[in-house]
Each structure stands twice: as C-alpha cells, then as structure tokens.
C-alpha cells in the first residue's frame, strides 16, 4: 500500500479555463492519481474576467458532502489532502477537522496522510479573499505539512513584505513558527534582477533542527498568468510522491516554465487577452509528466 495515489482536493471549479480543481485534476490524473474533488465554488470562469456567474459553497454544503464521503467510508482512503481556493472562513476553519479526522482514521491502519495547503488569497498586491479568511488560514497552517503561498500571500500571512531573499527567509520562518513543516514561496521578483523569478523552499526536519533552505531561479515571462499556482501545488504533490521535496520543486518549476511557454506559443503572451492566457494544460502533457528543462535547486 506504499503507492496509494489518492487525493481529496478541495478547490474551485470553473466551466471555462484552468484554475483550481480544473487546473489541478488533469495533471494529477496524468500522474496516475485518483482525485476526489470538493468544488468550493462552481463558477463560469475565474475572477479576472469582467463577468462571473455561479455558485459558492457554504459551510452547510461542505458538511453535507463530507457526510456522504464519511458515510461511504471514503475518508480513510485519502493519502493526501490538497486545498486551494476556498474564500470562506468557516470552511477554512472546518478543514482542520477534516484533516484531523482523516489523519486519525489512517493512523489506526498505520497509514500516513500528507496535507498540502495552498493558501489562495490574492496575487500581486490584490487580495481577493475576505479579511477573516486570512486569520483562518493562519490557524490552519499550523496543521499543514506543506504550504505553497505566492510571495503576496506569504507577505499577507506573515506580515513581512517579501521583496527579496532576506524577507522571503523571514516569511518562511513565520510559517515554521506557525507549525508548517515545509513552505515553498513559489516566486518573487527582485529589483536587482527583474528578468528572473527567485524561489525559496524551506523545511524543518522532524527533530526541530534549523530549517534547511533551497533556492533557484527561473526566467520571468512578461505577463500575468492565472492558475499557475494551482498547477504548481498539484505537480508538487505528484513529483514529491516518490522523490525528495527539493527534487520535486525543481521539476515543478521546470514544468511550469514549459507550460507557460506552451501557452505563449499558442498566442497567450503577456499582452494578450485573459482567454488566450488560460494555461494550455492539455497541450503540455509531456511537460507535466516529465519536463526536459532543468531548473537547479541549490541548498543555501
Ligand atoms: P500564483 O500563481 O499562486 O500567484 P506564482 O505567481 O508564484 O504563484 O506562480 C507559480 C509558478 O509559476 C512560479 O513558481 C513560476 O515557476 C511560474 N510562473 C508564474 N508566472 C510566471 C511568469 N510570469 N514568468 C515565469 N514563470 C511564472
Ligand atoms: Ca502570481
Ligand atoms: Ca495562487
């Protein structure tokens, strides 16, 4: 049973485009994972477009779905819990109980659960969640094995403005202090080298030693892409299933570069429409599975 490829993935759903569970499920399935999705919202498209229609889950609906999953005894089957866009403080708080419940059920069977929390709250200075959600995430991160904030979310959560490696390290320490074992600050652009994106992976060994840090760079491609973080968290799960996290981080960075290039090649460059910048996940199968680009991940 060492190769249980099963995930409870709590994220958004959109009809058009690739964010949330729409962005995460296909890459994970390519890697052979069974993805049980809870769709925290079912919307026509992501929130960058001028018009959005659809439905947002409330706590009662979340609990109703959980009730069904529990009653059918699916809960102990989940090797991973992955969370993304939720934007509901009650549900974010409730995830702690879900993680607790699955962890206890699996412990009885001598099995492990890994909880990967992508604290989706905003990007590039724009917060698209409610203030109360931020506080709920601070509490939830206490129980996360891994967190994958973007630099803006790392700043919001830690209160440290992430603008360079020094501040990224301080923000990573905030996560560890909170209880998160591993944190990837997925990218930050410095004044010194705006053509590159730096990243930081910081991890604390079980013994509570000083954190181990890893870093690297990828080229910056002009423009804003949506869903990159959702594909990132999904692939981090997939690649780390059988490899050390620092190796996985390099592969994920490489896959994302190739995915963005594939999107640009089909017309989705920085200046193009939102629709053209939807990530072409279906056109980048080889990149998602086994990128040929090499991104060096250096210990610090
Ligand atoms: P989020 O999508 O959650 O805001 P990031 O912006 O850090 O998170 O993007 C996740 C990953 O996608 C980064 O680690 C990087 O590899 C890649 N990426 C995103 N945007 C770009 C870009 N404009 N140029 C190059 N790589 C990018
Ligand atoms: Ca971003
Ligand atoms: Ca994100």
């Amino acid at each position: 049973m060492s190769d249980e490829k099963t995930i409870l993935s709590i994220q958004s759903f959109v009809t058009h485009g690739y964010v949330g569970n729409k962005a995460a499920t296909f890459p994970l399935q390519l890697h052979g994972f069974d993805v049980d999705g809870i769709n925290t919202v079912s919307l026509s498209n992501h929130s960058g477009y001028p018009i959005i229609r659809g439905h947002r889950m409330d706590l009662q609906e979340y609990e109703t779905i959980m009730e069904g999953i529990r009653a059918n005894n699916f809960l102990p089957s989940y090797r991973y819990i992955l969370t993304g866009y939720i934007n509901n403080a009650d549900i974010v708080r409730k995830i702690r109980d879900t993680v607790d419940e699955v962890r206890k059920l699996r412990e009885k069977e001598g099995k492990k659960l890994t909880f990967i929390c992508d604290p989706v709250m905003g990007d590039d200075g724009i917060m698209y969640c409610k203030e109360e959600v931020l506080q709920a995430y601070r509490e939830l991160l206490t129980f996360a094995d891994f967190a994958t904030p973007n630099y803006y979310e790392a700043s919001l959560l830690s209160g440290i403005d992430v603008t360079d490696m020094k501040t990224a390290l301080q923000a990573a320490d905030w996560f560890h202090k909170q209880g998160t074992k591993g944190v990837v600050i997925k990218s930050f652009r410095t004044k010194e080298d705006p053509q590159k994106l730096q990243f930081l992976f910081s991890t604390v060994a079980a013994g509570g030693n000083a954190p181990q840090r890893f870093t690297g760079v990828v080229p910056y491609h002009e423009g804003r892409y949506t869903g990159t973080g959702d594909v990132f968290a999904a692939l981090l799960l997939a690649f780390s299933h059988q490899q050390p996290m620092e190796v996985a981080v390099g592969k994920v960075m490489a896959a994302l570069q190739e995915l963005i290039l594939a999107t640009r090649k089909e017309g989705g460059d920085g200046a193009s429409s939102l629709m053209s910048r939807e990530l072409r996940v279906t056109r980048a199968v080889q990149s998602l599975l086994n990128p040929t680009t090499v991104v060096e991940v250096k210990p610090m």
Side-chain angles (χ1 to χ4, degrees):
M1 289 304 278
S2 62
D3 199 37
E4 289 176 293
K5 297 176 108 172
T6 47
I7 309 167
L8 181 63
S9 178
I10 305 168
Q11 307 198 43
S12 60
F13 174 84
V14 288
T15 300
H16 182 82
Y18 293 96
V19 298
N21 269 334
K22 258 299 272 302
T25 303
F26 177 70
L28 283 165
Q29 287 175 334
L30 278 180
H31 281 264
F33 286 86
D34 290 311
V35 185
D36 285 11
I38 294 185
N39 297 329
T40 53
V41 296
S42 299
L43 301 173
S44 48
N45 42 260
H46 73 65
S47 62
Y49 291 89
I51 295 162
I52 317 157
R53 292 290 183 271
H55 170 80
R56 290 171 185 273
M57 180 177 258
D58 60 11
L59 180 62
Q60 195 193 337
E61 191 179 342
Y62 178 80
E63 294 197 294
T64 303
I65 298 276
M66 285 304 297
E67 214 178 282
I69 293 173
R70 183 182 301 113
N72 284 300
N73 204 29
F74 302 146
L75 284 177
S77 73
Y78 298 124
R79 171 67 186 80
Y80 296 94
I81 294 178
L82 171 66
T83 64
Y85 182 93
I86 298 168
N87 197 12
N88 176 313
D90 296 332
I91 298 178
V92 173
R93 276 191 289 268
K94 198 73 199 169
I95 306 282
R96 178 192 166 167
D97 295 343
T98 304
V99 171
D100 233 35
E101 185 175 0
V102 174
R103 192 158 269 154
K104 286 200 178 106
L105 286 167
R106 289 179 61 81
E107 266 168 12
K108 275 193 232 156
E109 301 175 16
K111 289 176 182 167
K112 206 174 139 183
L113 167 73
T114 299
F115 170 33
I116 300 179
C117 179
D118 186 20
V120 179
M121 294 186 299
D123 202 4
D124 294 333
I126 297 162
M127 187 163 156
Y128 42 66
C129 77
K130 296 165 224 147
E131 188 69 34
E132 55 177 16
V133 172
L134 174 58
Q135 190 49 40
Y137 269 118
R138 289 200 179 108
E139 290 157 28
L140 182 62
L141 284 163
T142 304
F143 304 92
D145 295 294
F146 295 100
T148 55
N150 62 31
Y151 77 92
Y152 177 64
E153 290 152 347
S155 305
L156 283 176
L157 287 159
S158 67
I160 295 149
D161 200 9
V162 176
T163 53
D164 55 14
M165 187 51 79
K166 182 169 167 253
T167 44
L169 288 166
Q170 289 170 353
D173 283 339
W174 178 88
F175 281 80
H176 295 319
K177 217 176 103 211
Q178 207 66 10
T180 312
K181 293 183 203 81
V183 57
V184 185
I185 300 178
K186 291 173 290 192
S187 69
F188 51 96
R189 218 169 144 207
T190 64
K191 272 204 214 78
E192 288 67 45
D193 196 354
Q195 289 320 305
K196 296 224 163 70
L197 293 172
Q198 287 190 273
F199 60 84
L200 171 66
F201 166 51
S202 178
T203 176
V204 279
N209 300 322
Q212 272 185 289
R213 325 275 209 180
F214 300 86
T215 187
V217 293
V218 292
Y220 172 71
H221 304 294
E222 192 58 44
R224 285 210 174 97
Y225 292 89
T226 313
T228 44
D230 308 329
V231 174
F232 189 99
L235 285 181
L236 193 68
L237 187 165
F239 283 119
S240 67
H241 183 66
Q242 274 150 341
Q243 296 166 96
M245 196 47 110
E246 62 272 20
V247 177
V249 168
K251 292 216 170 160
V252 180
M253 289 291 167
L256 258 300
Q257 294 319 295
E258 293 183 12
L259 175 60
I260 290 170
L261 288 176
T263 303
R264 294 172 80 86
K265 209 175 124 198
E266 291 198 19
D269 66 24
S272 68
S273 69
L274 276 176
M275 203 170 152
S276 330
R277 272 179 284 141
E278 291 283 357
L279 295 174
R280 299 292 198 277
V281 291
T282 52
R283 303 300 148 75
V285 168
Q286 278 318 312
S287 302
L288 298 171
L289 276 172
N290 190 19
T292 52
T293 304
V294 176
V295 176
E296 218 192 321
V297 181
K298 287 172 276 188
M300 292 175 76

